[in-house]
Amino acid sequence: MTDKLATRDRPRLGLALSGGAGRGIAHIGVLRALEENQIPIDAIAGASAGALVGGCYAAGMSIAQLEEMARTFRWRHMGRLAYSRLGLQSNKRMEKFLRARLPVTRFEDLRIPFAAMVTDLRAGNLVVMRDTGDVPFAIRASNCLPVLYAPIEDSAGRLLVDGGLVANLPVNQTRELGADIVIAVDVGGDGARFMNTPRTAIGVLTQVFVAVERIVSNQEKDNADFLIIPKVGHLRWDETHRADEFLGAGYEALLESIDKIKEVLKLRSGKEPRPVGVASGKTRKSA
């Protein structure tokens, strides 16, 4: 058997990619490490920034293209001033940005099954966008941070906002795409060591969002087979100009668990009982 296991002889591997604004660039480093180690990816579910990176990769963008996009990305590519009482900006510009870059724009045409997490603001429920429909719209909706961006109305009349509010680490949704083994990447798991006591209402709101996403992620992380936490706690969410640091952190975090990942893939390919997974590079043992 070669190092790259034949599709029919191996378990399906999926990625659950968390939200985290600019920190989501670290997801690209994780993808590079997996590719370099010939680990195939069979499903991706993402929230917010995880939906952006995961959706672009599922649509066929190469690692080199994703890295270039990360290095040149600026927040003006996301939104512009909105004449709305529901948000400071509109992120419609993000759709145009994506349509100019994605090889395909329909879920039906993706090379890897992909799901974007979105929140129905009125109902307070999770909306999972997958299988059919428009990928740029789904990614935009998943990245629609309340207050900063005005909610998006879909064809069903739902008001949609950032999926990280209800499913920031979509492990279960990755399994629903058919994954047998799930690698969850939590770019917020290393904390935010730069945060101090907020001095403005916006600062308070920011910390509320962070707290909500941490609670939601903590509810899911133990359901993953592997939990990857890039060491980005010293980097702010808006520091996209430090893309190379984010990329390196994601790459190194995945490599810490690469031997365990390969071992589990081989064990599961041999039809042995499902092993207990790994959290932050350490094997979780049952009692």
Side-chain angles (χ1 to χ4, degrees):
M1 181 179 294
T2 61
D3 204 29
K4 186 172 183 178
L5 301 170
T7 301
R8 66 179 182 275
D9 295 330
R10 63 171 177 81
R12 289 171 54 83
L13 186 142
L15 297 180
L17 305 181
S18 79
R23 288 180 171 187
I25 295 170
H27 292 312
I28 303 171
V30 169
L31 291 169
R32 173 170 284 285
L34 289 170
E35 274 203 3
E36 288 184 357
N37 283 274
Q38 299 184 309
I39 305 294
I41 300 166
D42 301 293
I44 304 173
S48 197
L52 173 59
V53 173
C56 289
Y57 187 71
M61 289 186 69
S62 68
I63 297 297
Q65 289 173 322
L66 287 170
E67 290 173 339
E68 177 63 19
M69 185 174 76
R71 293 184 178 110
T72 58
F73 179 84
R74 296 297 179 264
W75 291 111
R76 64 178 179 272
H77 297 139
M78 285 277 289
R80 62 180 179 181
L81 186 65
Y83 298 98
S84 170
R85 292 178 296 176
L86 301 181
L88 301 175
Q89 297 186 32
S90 164
N91 72 342
K92 186 173 178 59
R93 182 175 288 181
M94 187 180 192
E95 274 193 58
K96 183 178 180 180
F97 178 83
L98 291 170
R99 291 190 197 284
R101 290 163 175 80
L102 296 184
V104 298
T105 59
R106 299 288 300 177
F107 277 93
E108 299 92 322
D109 299 325
L110 296 176
R111 68 185 183 95
I112 298 172
F114 165 70
M117 305 300 108
V118 180
T119 302
D120 181 335
L121 185 60
R122 288 195 184 101
N125 294 333
L126 171 65
V127 176
V128 180
M129 294 189 167
R130 50 172 286 190
D131 300 331
T132 63
D134 188 67
V135 175
F137 179 85
I139 294 174
R140 174 193 169 198
S142 188
N143 282 268
C144 189
L145 187 65
V147 181
L148 177 58
Y149 299 120
I152 304 166
E153 186 171 357
D154 69 0
S155 59
R158 296 176 297 191
L159 286 181
L160 306 177
V161 296
D162 196 299
L165 297 176
V166 290
N168 194 52
L169 195 64
V171 175
N172 288 333
Q173 290 73 27
T174 307
R175 294 200 191 280
E176 290 170 359
L177 288 172
D180 302 305
I181 295 172
V182 176
I183 299 174
V185 186
D186 187 357
V187 297
D190 194 39
R193 293 188 288 278
F194 53 84
M195 290 184 70
N196 297 312
T197 302
R199 298 181 179 180
T200 65
I202 293 297
V204 171
L205 189 61
T206 298
Q207 294 200 17
V208 168
F209 285 143
V210 171
V212 169
E213 290 193 343
R214 291 279 17 99
I215 292 169
V216 172
S217 294
N218 288 340
Q219 291 172 345
E220 279 291 303
K221 66 181 183 181
D222 289 337
N223 295 327
D225 297 278
F226 295 88
L227 179 62
I228 307 300
I229 300 179
K231 295 179 175 62
V232 294
H234 62 294
L235 299 172
R236 294 201 318 267
W237 301 280
D238 61 342
E239 293 184 305
T240 56
H241 62 282
R242 301 175 72 175
D244 285 323
E245 293 178 65
F246 286 119
L247 292 168
Y251 183 83
E252 293 298 329
L254 190 283
L255 288 185
E256 289 178 6
S257 294
I258 193 64
D259 290 338
K260 293 288 187 180
I261 293 170
K262 289 182 177 180
E263 179 184 350
V264 169
L265 283 171
K266 289 180 179 179
L267 285 172
R268 296 288 298 277
S269 298
K271 309 300 182 183
E272 296 190 15
R274 178 179 175 179
V276 180
V278 172
S280 301
K282 298 180 181 180
T283 304
R284 292 202 297 264
K285 297 182 179 179
S286 58

